[in-house]
Amino acid sequence: MPYGYHGKILHVNLTTGEFRVDEHDEAFYRKYGGGSALGMYYLLNETSAGVDPLGPENVLALCLSVLTGTAISGQSRMTAVARSPLTGAIGDSQTGGYWPAELKFAGFDGVIVTGRSPKPVYLWIQDGEYELRDASHLWGMITGDAEASIRDELGDDKIEVLQIGPAGEKGVRFAAIMNMSNRANGRTGMGAVMGSKNLKAIAVRGKNRPEVADKSALNELAKWGVSSLPDSGIVGLAKYGTAETTGVNHTMGTLPTFNYNSGVFEDWEAIDGTTMYDTILRGAAEGKQDRQGRDTCYACTVRCKRVVEITDGPYKIDPHYGGPEYETTSTFGNYCGINDLAAIAAANQICNQYGMDTISCGATISWAYEAWAEGKLTAEDTDGLDLSWGNAESMVKLTEKIARREGFGNTLAEGSQRASGIVGRGTEEYLITSKGQEAPAHMPQVKKSLALIYAVNPYGADHQSSEHDPAVGGDWEDNIERMGMIGVTESVPEEALDEEKVRYTLATEWMYSAMDSLNLCQFVYGPAWQLYGPDEMVQTVRAVTGWDDVTMDELQIIGERRLNMLRAFNSREGLDRSSDTLPRKFFKNALKGGVSDGYKLDQDEFEAALTSYYSQSGWDVETGMPSRAKLEELGLGWVADQLHA
Amino acid sequence: MTVTIHLQLYSILREKLPPDARGRADLALHDGATLTELLERLDIRRNNIVISVNDTHEPDRSRVLADGDHIRVFSAVGGG
């Protein structure tokens, strides 16, 4: 019998309203693990080259893993994959929350959505049963209202709702898929894909918890996690949130400021995680924020999610919509030179109500702020808004305009790369995109391995696809044992981007890729500072699935397999080495101020790293395409047949 | 002879000081005291921390502290 999974994937064609249930055997699950790799199995099998990201033929795969819904921290996650309307490349995005576990309890390991419904619908799944229901009355609702309406009409307030907001309905190219009204499959525009299918929501409820092979072993791992948390590398992140890193990044010169022109922000302390904890977390005024101002995902002991409440002042924040992560305080804050934490929380709330990625939204606004500063945009372009650095009021207004595709917001809703094409006037010089996706708040000018990852990552600039440089540099002594399990045995200088750094980057990229297939949280599991290391990751898989001979090497291969599938999809769409690029400004403009003053990337060093990366990956160094031999080695001969026909 | 430094601890490191202090303290240290000695006094044993002295990153734990120095200490992990 299967342990951890049901062996069932629900497949719905929204054009015809037809369902089917795909059943896969144990070998299939052990090969792909779930999550992104499972989704890519469907994308590569059920789409053809040239698929329109917003057309009915695009496939939206929402996939769990063999671990989802079990009683241990960091497992309740879901990956969405589809061709991205933002980048034109493969799209890939993870979320946490309770929805992933509840879908598993409802009887399925994933939902594959194809076609386009003639009218707005939502999918209701309960204990192995499923139906499409009319969503015309929900269309246009913000997330909190739609969630409440669905629970009300189905008569169960424990139902978990995955949905798009109005931004997804209107095709904002970085629209997110939301659950709990505050958790997001944020990146790469998966919400726009869902909106293009007229699918408003997927509501789930069930009692069908998966059997676990060794409950006792899993329980021991869970208890170890609880007892180890206070002494772990994530204890600060748990209590003070991801924005605890704001001051660290400012000090290290890695806090992207003024649209990535500087690595330091003078007013960083106003938007830091410690400040957030003291001021706007729910219950902070009474010192009760640890109980009221922190939220969690199913079965997770970490409780890192922020819950903000503001009842006075110009920006009222409803705690239902959560609170900003570090990426969000950065993109709406230091990227734009804004030091108003309440305004940042307001922008975050709009993104969660309307369903938008806070990284791309904030970074697209910061692109506009730089264009304004350089005189390339005026009030005539911006509906009268003053986009001077630091203008918080305009930032919040612009966020709402984007969500509604109103006025200048309609231009920015296309993402910064397309917006620069619309505006022209040389504004492409201010882009901070790779493959058309806006860069997150970790600076590759200083963290050199991220220069490589931002460029080669199949779905564009991403900070959660590998371990960053400090883990193999200054923090090496803390990580030797865990790194050894993934084949990294020597420290590499943080400033290096040589063959050894590429080897490290690739090894950690495979591990992160495995985690995106097993749908494990990258704060809870990882090769360095995380709560659980590679050894516990293997033990978790063994305890849940009963695959007692599984090893870290096998999990690394799952990660490598996923990356090759993502890469093959892009190769099929004509993307090659010339698509693995970084923004020009990263090479051209030296950073200003602080410890990273003068830093910029070197083109020759970057190109050499790129060649080394392809070579070490077993890919063609000229094209970056996976070779037939590599694909066959990974059991992906069927992909090779598509790619090398 | 002593020097007085202005200390600010962030995130979980604040718990090295009483809750009311919210991570802030003025501390008297002996003349010639180093960052290492300050960390020992605070019982901060983590390796992955970042320190700034007078708003400048200071990786050298043997740095001798001067009267009036403003020291910030951060825990260095996390993400987005």
Side-chain angles (χ1 to χ4, degrees):
Chain A
M1 74 179 283
Y3 290 109
Y5 59 96
H6 297 299
K8 293 180 179 177
I9 310 287
L10 182 62
H11 194 293
V12 56
N13 181 333
L14 292 173
T15 302
T16 63
E18 292 173 326
F19 288 92
R20 74 167 198 257
V21 176
D22 292 346
E23 299 198 20
H24 298 288
D25 62 14
E26 184 175 9
F28 178 87
Y29 279 88
R30 186 153 177 174
K31 182 173 180 178
Y32 298 106
S36 180
L38 175 57
M40 286 312 299
Y41 171 85
Y42 279 95
L43 259 290
L44 287 164
N45 270 303
E46 297 197 9
T47 63
S48 303
V51 58
D52 177 359
L54 297 176
E57 64 273 25
N58 199 4
V59 170
L60 176 63
L62 309 166
C63 292
L64 312 179
S65 87
V66 294
L67 306 177
T68 314
T70 56
I72 192 165
S73 296
Q75 49 55 49
S76 183
R77 295 182 67 78
M78 178 274 283
T79 300
V81 293
R83 190 176 186 195
S84 167
L86 181 67
T87 68
I90 188 65
D92 182 301
S93 187
Q94 281 76 35
T95 186
Y98 283 76
W99 191 91
E102 198 67 36
L103 173 63
K104 182 69 76 75
F105 304 159
F108 295 99
D109 305 318
V111 180
I112 311 299
V113 183
T114 66
R116 173 185 288 152
S117 172
K119 62 174 186 178
V121 291
Y122 74 92
L123 174 58
W124 166 223
I125 307 171
Q126 183 179 29
D127 287 322
E129 304 292 319
Y130 39 84
E131 63 174 318
L132 289 171
R133 297 173 66 99
D134 180 47
S136 301
H137 58 300
L138 304 172
W139 208 249
M141 280 187 184
I142 60 171
T143 52
D145 293 347
E147 181 183 63
S149 292
I150 289 171
R151 285 174 173 164
D152 187 51
E153 72 185 48
L154 295 174
D156 184 348
D157 63 6
K158 297 279 197 305
I159 286 168
E160 292 297 333
V161 177
L162 185 85
Q163 61 170 314
I164 55 166
E169 297 169 14
K170 292 178 183 295
V172 173
R173 286 187 185 269
F174 45 81
I177 300 174
M178 305 298 302
N179 74 93
M180 299 173 72
S181 302
N182 55 49
R183 311 299 167 88
N185 293 94
R187 307 239 66 191
T188 68
M190 296 295 93
V193 175
M194 192 160 154
S196 75
K197 297 185 175 308
N198 273 328
L199 180 62
K200 177 68 174 174
I202 303 177
V204 295
R205 187 83 168 101
K207 302 184 191 70
N208 194 358
R209 291 172 190 250
E211 292 289 327
V212 169
D214 189 340
K215 275 185 188 171
S216 172
L218 189 67
N219 193 34
E220 285 304 310
L221 279 164
K223 284 200 292 191
W224 183 89
V226 172
S227 63
S228 300
L229 180 61
D231 297 319
S232 76
I234 62 167
V235 62
L237 177 157
K239 184 167 180 176
Y240 295 91
T242 49
E244 71 152 350
T245 59
T246 307
V248 177
N249 279 307
H250 165 79
T251 304
M252 302 298 287
T254 54
L255 187 67
T257 300
F258 304 128
N259 198 37
Y260 256 84
N261 287 314
S262 172
V264 294
F265 182 45
E266 192 178 331
D267 295 338
W268 66 269
E269 200 163 5
I271 61 173
D272 179 67
T274 305
T275 302
M276 194 190 311
Y277 179 89
D278 285 341
T279 57
I280 63 171
L281 278 201
R282 189 180 196 188
E286 302 85 36
K288 295 179 178 173
Q289 65 269 58
D290 271 325
R291 270 184 289 156
Q292 298 179 11
R294 294 168 58 189
D295 197 6
T296 194
C297 301
Y298 171 76
C300 187
T301 191
V302 179
R303 300 176 61 232
C304 70
K305 298 301 293 182
R306 304 293 89 182
V307 181
V308 167
E309 183 172 38
I310 302 177
T311 54
D312 296 321
Y315 304 112
K316 310 286 191 298
I317 305 299
D318 179 345
H320 188 67
Y321 296 102
E325 299 286 343
Y326 165 71
E327 297 301 327
T328 310
T329 58
S330 274
T331 53
F332 289 117
N334 32 278
Y335 277 43
C336 299
I338 287 169
N339 62 6
D340 185 335
L341 192 53
I344 291 167
N348 180 70
Q349 177 167 265
I350 293 165
C351 286
N352 287 349
Q353 289 173 323
Y354 286 80
M356 296 195 294
D357 176 31
T358 60
I359 298 177
S360 281
C361 187
T364 296
I365 291 172
S366 77
W367 165 83
Y369 273 49
E370 184 169 9
W372 176 281
E374 295 298 323
K376 302 296 173 69
L377 287 174
T378 69
E380 282 186 22
D381 302 299
T382 64
D383 311 324
L385 292 176
D386 174 353
L387 304 190
S388 298
W389 296 119
N391 191 324
E393 187 180 352
S394 290
M395 179 274 289
V396 175
K397 285 182 177 168
L398 212 42
T399 302
E400 192 151 6
K401 279 174 164 289
I402 293 169
R404 294 178 171 170
R405 274 192 174 274
E406 286 177 358
F408 187 53
N410 191 44
T411 300
L412 299 188
E414 292 293 296
S416 57
Q417 187 160 295
R418 282 182 175 80
S420 77
I422 294 166
V423 170
R425 307 171 201 165
T427 55
E428 71 274 12
E429 293 300 319
Y430 315 134
L431 290 174
I432 55 168
T433 52
S434 288
K435 294 188 179 68
Q437 174 158 262
E438 291 75 14
H442 304 264
M443 301 189 78
Q445 295 96 326
V446 182
K447 292 180 172 179
K448 292 285 193 66
S449 72
L450 290 182
L452 182 62
I453 288 294
Y454 281 13
V456 300
N457 191 52
Y459 44 97
D462 186 65
H463 60 296
Q464 291 190 288
S465 289
S466 65
E467 192 59 50
H468 298 189
D469 301 65
V472 77
D475 299 339
W476 172 247
E477 294 295 323
D478 291 338
N479 302 321
I480 290 173
E481 193 176 335
R482 287 182 171 184
M483 286 290 179
M485 282 198 70
I486 59 169
V488 179
T489 55
E490 290 185 25
S491 178
V492 187
E494 291 189 25
E495 65 277 13
L497 189 57
D498 56 11
E499 282 217 16
E500 276 305 310
K501 180 60 74 66
V502 173
R503 189 164 292 115
Y504 158 77
T505 305
L506 189 56
T508 65
E509 188 185 24
W510 286 345
M511 182 172 177
Y512 274 72
S513 181
M515 291 190 285
D516 282 346
S517 299
L518 294 167
N519 279 344
L520 290 172
C521 174
Q522 296 167 352
F523 299 145
V524 179
Y525 288 84
W529 46 269
Q530 296 83 355
L531 179 60
Y532 293 126
D535 184 46
E536 292 83 15
M537 185 165 151
V538 170
Q539 298 304 326
T540 302
V541 174
R542 287 179 181 172
V544 171
T545 63
W547 300 335
D548 291 336
D549 57 344
V550 80
T551 63
M552 195 60 213
D553 288 347
E554 183 178 339
L555 299 183
Q556 288 287 86
I557 289 170
I558 289 177
E560 186 184 6
R561 185 177 291 122
R562 164 185 173 266
L563 271 176
N564 275 265
M565 295 169 87
L566 294 164
R567 191 86 192 176
F569 184 95
N570 283 355
S571 295
R572 201 183 72 178
E573 298 300 334
L575 278 72
D576 57 18
R577 181 171 179 142
S578 67
S579 304
D580 290 344
T581 57
L582 291 168
R584 274 201 293 273
K585 72 191 297 185
F586 287 8
F587 297 103
K588 199 172 123 193
N589 302 350
L591 298 177
K592 293 171 189 157
V595 73
S596 57
D597 186 67
Y599 277 50
K600 61 181 179 178
L601 291 170
D602 179 84
Q603 189 78 50
D604 292 338
E605 183 184 53
F606 169 74
E607 292 296 335
L610 201 54
T611 298
S612 175
Y613 175 85
Y614 294 149
S615 176
Q616 292 187 38
S617 297
W619 299 344
D620 186 297
V621 296
E622 300 297 325
T623 65
M625 186 185 287
S627 66
R628 172 173 281 280
K630 173 51 71 176
L631 291 169
E632 289 180 344
E633 176 193 319
L634 294 168
L636 298 173
W638 60 275
V639 178
D641 291 341
Q642 287 186 8
L643 203 57
H644 299 281
Chain B
M1 284 283 287
T2 61
V3 295
T4 299
I5 59 105
H6 308 295
L7 176 70
Q8 192 150 7
L9 306 177
Y10 292 89
S11 180
I12 204 71
L13 297 177
R14 298 204 305 180
E15 295 176 11
K16 298 295 181 183
L17 294 172
D20 290 351
R22 290 199 165 187
R24 292 172 189 266
D26 289 341
L27 295 182
L29 305 172
H30 71 82
D31 195 19
T34 64
L35 277 176
T36 297
E37 290 173 78
L38 173 64
L39 296 176
E40 284 172 357
R41 175 165 165 179
L42 293 166
D43 193 31
I44 295 176
R45 301 185 184 283
R46 301 158 63 100
N47 292 324
N48 46 357
I49 58 172
V50 168
I51 302 172
S52 73
V53 178
N54 303 326
D55 288 327
T56 301
H57 178 228
E58 180 52 86
D60 181 5
R61 304 281 169 85
S62 67
R63 164 139 176 186
V64 175
L65 301 176
D67 193 51
D69 275 350
H70 195 131
I71 316 295
R72 299 178 195 267
V73 188
F74 306 92
S75 63
V77 293

